[in-house]
Amino acid sequence: MPRIRPGRVRTKNTNRRAPLLLSSMAPEDFNVRPDEMKSIACPDCRTWRRVMGDKVLKIREHCISDKVAEGEKHTLCPGTDQVVEVDIDVRRWQARQNRLLRDAMPQDNRRAAQQFYKPLPAPAAPVSRITAEVTLETTRQSYLAHRKGCIRCVGGRHCTDGGILARRYVLALQEEPARREAREQLERQERRDTRKQAEQWPALRKEQWAKRGGEAVEKANNRCSERTSGSLSEFRGPRLPLAPQDVEAHERRQAELGKRYARRNPATSAA
């Protein structure tokens, strides 16, 4: 990392003004961060200038106009060699500046002051401690996979996990005949239930037809015939009224609605 050359005041002259106190300026008009170059907005010309010096801080010599190279007259700013006095708490000022920068940042780019890290997942349990359905094939595959990757399981010797898997495999071998017999018995019971249901199906179907069929249903179907236009059905509902029950109230209501319509649409009413 390159060494930062400290600023050096080449003159002892000042502008003979009272020292400029940073506490009298706005916090955003100066920069006194420890790891950055000190700078300040000159109170006279309102341009950012470098602050020189280690013990005695002064604003660097500068012109009023920035267009001297274009031919304008070189005129020193009255704020040249202005003594600056740091009478503030730099840490508190820096914390406030960071807070202002964070508030001015767009919401999508903000980051929380405290970072919350996702916890690391717990390591997977060994195969020997996993409680799952125990079958002859699963225990055999688990035992062989462990023997292939374990350096301590050699010959007839086993590690702790290897011994557990070996005993589990032997137990599955011993229980396999009883398990096979129970599986065959269950399959025979399922075949008997299927055959019994197939034998009972014709009688069940005949019972359903008898319940939902018969002479009553046949007579009802025979009564269905096309109706001539204008005829009334025996399933018709109550008679609907064709005239209002209170004639006077109906006429008053109609007159009131007519007046409202005339007020809203005078052109249509006049026509």
Side-chain angles (χ1 to χ4, degrees):
M1 182 176 179
R3 186 175 61 88
I4 300 177
R5 180 182 179 184
R8 183 162 57 92
V9 181
R10 300 180 181 276
T11 176
K12 298 182 181 180
N13 297 332
T14 64
N15 58 1
R16 299 183 181 182
R17 293 181 181 178
L20 179 61
L21 305 179
L22 294 184
S23 59
S24 62
M25 301 184 63
E28 61 272 11
D29 288 347
F30 56 87
N31 179 20
V32 290
R33 296 179 185 271
D35 53 345
E36 296 181 7
M37 181 181 64
K38 297 180 178 61
S39 57
I40 191 172
C42 179
D44 296 279
C45 59
R46 300 303 301 170
T47 57
W48 281 89
R49 300 298 176 182
R50 183 177 177 181
V51 177
M52 309 294 293
D54 295 330
K55 298 181 180 180
V56 180
L57 303 180
K58 293 193 297 184
I59 300 178
R60 187 175 184 177
E61 178 181 344
H62 60 279
C63 302
I64 295 179
S65 175
D66 292 336
K67 298 183 180 180
V68 177
E70 299 179 5
E72 295 190 7
K73 186 177 180 181
H74 182 87
T75 305
L76 287 178
C77 176
T80 299
D81 296 334
Q82 171 66 50
V83 178
V84 179
E85 184 175 345
V86 181
D87 60 339
I88 61 172
D89 188 350
V90 178
R91 293 184 178 179
R92 185 178 300 177
W93 169 86
Q94 189 172 2
R96 181 180 178 184
Q97 291 297 105
N98 295 337
R99 185 170 60 254
L100 292 176
L101 291 175
R102 186 173 62 253
D103 295 342
M105 189 180 301
Q107 187 174 4
D108 297 340
N109 298 339
R110 295 180 187 176
R111 296 181 60 186
Q114 182 180 0
Q115 298 295 324
F116 298 93
Y117 297 96
K118 185 176 180 181
L120 297 177
V127 180
S128 59
R129 301 179 187 176
I130 297 177
T131 57
E133 183 181 1
V134 179
T135 62
L136 181 61
E137 185 62 23
T138 56
T139 54
R140 178 175 176 274
Q141 294 295 337
S142 301
Y143 175 70
L144 294 179
H146 178 79
R147 289 276 300 186
K148 184 178 181 180
C150 183
I151 60 176
R152 294 195 297 172
C153 294
V154 180
R157 302 175 57 185
H158 298 92
C159 64
T160 304
D161 294 339
I164 295 175
L165 293 175
R167 287 191 295 271
R168 187 179 299 177
Y169 178 46
V170 172
L171 183 62
L173 281 174
Q174 296 174 357
E175 295 178 352
E176 182 61 21
R179 188 180 294 111
R180 186 183 299 110
E181 179 64 24
R183 186 163 53 249
E184 293 177 356
Q185 185 177 359
L186 181 61
E187 293 176 356
R188 288 194 297 267
Q189 182 65 29
E190 291 179 354
R191 288 195 296 269
R192 283 195 298 266
D193 294 342
T194 304
R195 185 168 56 253
K196 184 178 180 180
Q197 185 178 4
E199 294 175 354
Q200 294 178 353
W201 176 250
L204 181 62
R205 190 64 175 169
K206 186 176 180 180
E207 182 182 354
Q208 292 177 350
W209 277 107
K211 184 178 180 180
R212 294 179 173 82
E215 297 180 0
V217 177
E218 186 177 357
K219 290 180 180 179
N221 292 335
N222 293 335
R223 286 200 307 267
C224 295
S225 59
E226 296 183 1
R227 298 185 180 276
T228 58
S229 59
S231 61
L232 299 178
S233 173
E234 63 273 13
F235 302 106
R236 64 182 181 273
R239 186 183 299 276
L240 298 177
L242 301 178
Q245 297 179 358
D246 191 348
V247 180
E248 296 181 359
H250 177 70
E251 292 179 354
R252 288 196 300 270
R253 178 61 177 169
Q254 293 297 323
E256 183 180 355
L257 292 176
K259 292 179 181 179
R260 291 183 181 179
Y261 181 77
R263 287 197 297 268
R264 293 181 181 179
N265 304 280
T268 308
S269 302

